[in-house]
Structure formats: C-alpha cells, structure tokens
Amino acid sequence: MQQRLVDRHPEVPADQLIAQMVPPPTFDEVSFDSYIPDPNEPSQAEAVRKARDFAGRVASIHATANRKSLFGKKKHVQGAGLYLDGGFGVGKTHLLASIFHASPAPKSFGTFGELTNLVGALGFTNAVERLASNSVLCIDEFELDDPGDTTLVSRLLTELTARGVSVAATSNTLPSQLGEGRFAAQDFLREIKKLGSLFEAVRVDGPDYRHRDLPPAPEPTAPELLAEKAAATPGATLDDFDALLRHLSTLHPSRFGALISEVSAVFIAGVHEVTDQAVALRVVVLADRLYDAGIPVTVSGAKLDAIFSQEMLDGGYRKKYLRAISRLLALSRYEVPAS
C-alpha cells in the first residue's frame, strides 16, 4: 500500500528537539582544514582564522563557566559572538558547522527558522533552560524579515550569552535575489541591539552569485505517471497537495523533520499556486526539511517555481519564498531511488 505523509502524526519529545539541532548531513564531516580559501579572496583565509580562533574562545569560556568557585557556584562569564557576513556560496555554513564540530558538547546548530520553531514548541523559559548549558549556539541564515521573530531571538540570545553561551551566526543571502542589497552586518548588529557589542562581524567575500536567475523548473509529471513512479519507489510517499497542506496545518513546524523521517522520495499530486501566507510559510519549512534530508521531490500539476504567488514574492518574506523555490527545484533534480 502506498505510503502518505498525511497518515503520519509524529510526536517529538523536547529532548529530541534539542538533540536534532545539528548541522545538515552535508556538513557532517567538514572542518576548518577542509575549507579551501580562494587565493583571490584574502577575506576567506582570514575568516577561517577568525572562526578557528572563535571556536577556541568558545571552549575556554565554556570551561570557565563550568568551573565552580570556592562556594560551589558556577562562575559568571559572558558568551562571545561571531557573525559571518557575506554572499551566497562562499562557505559561511561550512565555517559555521566547523565551529560547531570544534566546540565542546553540549552545543546546538540550526537555522533561524528552526530556532524560532524550537522556542515555539518548548516555550521561551524552557528553551532558555535547555540551551543554557551549551558551549555554543550556531544560527545559520539569520533572518530579519519578521520583527517579532527577530525580537524573540534577540531576547533569547541576551539570556543565553549572559549565562556563558557563545553564539555564531551567518546571513541568509540567496543566489536568486537578483540584485537586491545583501544582508549586511550593520543590519544584524542594529537589530540585536543589546548584543551588538558582543559580536565580531567577519566578511567572507567571494564570487557573487546573487545575480543568477533560478534554473528553469522541470515540467511537472503526468498524474498517472506520478502514481506509477511513487508505487515503484521503495520508501516513497504520494500525497495530494491540498490534503498535505491541510495536514501540515495540524502539526507544529518543529515536527516537520520527523514527518519525513526515513522517507526515500516525496511525490505530490496537484500542485498549484499558494496564495495564503500562513500556508506558504509552512511550505517553506517543509522545503527546508526536505532539502536538509536530501529527499527527491516529484510533482504533478503546476511547476515548482509557480508555487508562490507574485504578490508573495514581492512581499516581506521574499527571501524565504525564493529560498524554498531554489531548494525545491534542486530536489526535483535529484535522482529518485531505483526500485
């Protein structure tokens, strides 16, 4: 019988939510040594040095924070901060994952969206308590397009750094921004206000891919062929697009990773343009989790680059939607496992 995502109702315990905050599989084995700086871009070698030094500071701060005084109390020490500022494809995530791997446990790594979802699932106070023992919190693709989320994360980081947790972050510049101004260090430092003095901003320059258009979307698969391919692919799921969207609305975004756990490929029938913003943002989270897991996506109906309305692409969440399209297009080109 064909598996469907809509039949899955994952429950994710709080401890598992924290435990799954690690770099995507693509970055499991990266290190500072495996980052190869472009000799034509001196800032890259300097960024490696700064990131390596920061990891050393993380270890030192964590050791001091856990060293008890003569009266049995932990010493108060402030966490450090590093912000990697640069364009797409220059290795910021590689360096961020390298910081994670080089830092002592416990430690956490996630995108800005994953972090806000974690706080939403656990509650602010519980999230602070569970992350407060970390040596470092690594935040990939820090976003400023939602003032509420930015304020929430700024408050979270204020609490954590006061407890000795260091924080490293990257920007979320995309290759498909088509000439938009890049996410600049001054924007980050301004928005986190109280924390600005803690962060050292490090530029990572390189070839600017931001002016490249997204690759053309592949033609959707015929509905009958879609069902045949899904049935012939072990571990695959086949869902109706509208039914899947309704199902996603019943799950907290922190469960989307568990929703697709051990799925080999995702097939979706009847894809069409999404015009409701709440629905569209859930699609963004699902696209991120599918991309992190490297799960191929095949659809019938509309092309994947037409999944968000033009009004949405012109709005405040433009970066999120363009990222989701880019990732879905990449997944649509993955080879579906053979039967």
Side-chain angles (χ1 to χ4, degrees):
M1 184 177 176
Q2 181 65 63
Q3 295 185 73
R4 303 187 305 171
L5 292 177
V6 296
D7 295 328
R8 295 181 164 210
H9 302 273
E11 294 291 336
V12 186
D15 288 344
Q16 186 177 332
L17 285 175
I18 297 294
Q20 69 189 19
M21 290 192 69
V22 295
T26 309
F27 298 96
D28 277 348
E29 305 297 328
V30 301
S31 67
F32 298 121
D33 290 337
S34 66
Y35 183 101
I36 309 300
D38 184 338
N40 296 316
E41 300 290 348
S43 68
Q44 292 188 9
E46 178 66 5
V48 174
R49 186 184 70 79
K50 292 276 191 179
R52 194 191 298 270
D53 289 348
F54 178 77
R57 291 177 62 200
V58 168
S60 176
I61 290 170
H62 187 63
T64 302
N66 284 280
R67 193 178 301 134
K68 293 183 178 180
S69 69
L70 294 174
F71 301 101
K73 294 183 178 180
K74 287 186 177 182
K75 291 189 175 182
H76 174 75
V77 60
Q78 188 88 359
L82 183 73
Y83 172 69
L84 298 170
D85 175 45
F88 177 83
V90 295
K92 299 190 306 298
T93 302
H94 182 132
L95 291 176
L96 190 67
S98 299
I99 290 171
F100 175 87
H101 293 312
S103 298
K107 51 194 173 180
S108 300
F109 182 110
T111 64
F112 183 89
E114 287 174 313
L115 185 60
T116 57
N117 288 337
L118 178 75
V119 176
L122 298 181
F124 184 85
T125 301
N126 192 12
V128 169
E129 291 304 318
R130 288 181 176 274
L131 295 172
S133 61
N134 275 16
S135 68
V136 69
L137 173 62
C138 297
I139 309 172
D140 203 17
E141 300 173 354
F142 203 104
E143 299 172 356
L144 295 179
D145 50 16
D146 187 313
D149 283 347
T150 302
T151 300
L152 174 71
V153 172
S154 178
R155 183 181 161 212
L156 178 71
L157 300 188
T158 299
E159 294 272 354
L160 292 176
T161 53
R163 298 197 187 193
V165 180
S166 295
V167 179
T170 72
S171 64
N172 66 341
T173 302
L174 298 175
S176 51
Q177 286 180 300
L178 305 179
E180 293 177 7
R182 65 173 177 79
F183 182 108
Q186 58 266 31
D187 297 326
F188 173 82
L189 297 175
R190 182 183 64 247
E191 291 299 329
I192 61 173
K193 298 180 180 72
K194 295 179 182 177
L195 294 172
S197 61
L198 290 177
F199 279 85
E200 178 183 8
V202 176
R203 278 290 295 157
V204 190
D205 293 309
D208 187 351
Y209 297 107
R210 289 174 297 147
H211 298 285
R212 292 186 181 178
D213 292 323
L214 291 170
E219 290 297 323
T221 303
E224 304 80 12
L225 183 57
L226 187 80
E228 289 179 15
K229 286 185 174 181
T233 305
T237 59
L238 172 62
D239 289 87
D240 172 76
F241 188 54
D242 284 326
L244 179 58
L245 295 181
R246 287 194 296 272
H247 186 56
L248 293 180
S249 72
T250 69
L251 300 174
H252 191 275
S254 62
R255 299 182 184 179
F256 286 14
L259 179 70
I260 60 171
S261 175
E262 299 182 3
V263 171
S264 65
V266 166
F267 293 83
I268 306 175
V271 168
H272 58 77
E273 182 180 85
V274 174
T275 56
D276 182 274
Q277 186 161 271
V279 175
L281 290 173
R282 285 192 283 270
V283 173
V284 169
V285 177
L286 180 63
D288 286 342
R289 300 293 78 76
L290 289 167
Y291 186 79
D292 287 344
I295 298 176
V297 174
T298 308
V299 304
S300 69
K303 291 184 178 182
L304 286 170
D305 61 357
I307 199 168
F308 302 115
S309 69
Q310 190 59 49
E311 181 180 1
M312 288 185 174
L313 293 178
D314 292 338
Y317 293 117
R318 172 178 170 81
K319 289 181 179 181
K320 290 182 190 290
Y321 297 139
L322 288 174
R323 182 181 76 226
I325 292 172
S326 177
R327 290 183 165 184
L328 288 171
L329 290 183
L331 294 174
S332 71
R333 290 174 170 79
Y334 280 20
E335 186 174 341
V336 175
S339 59

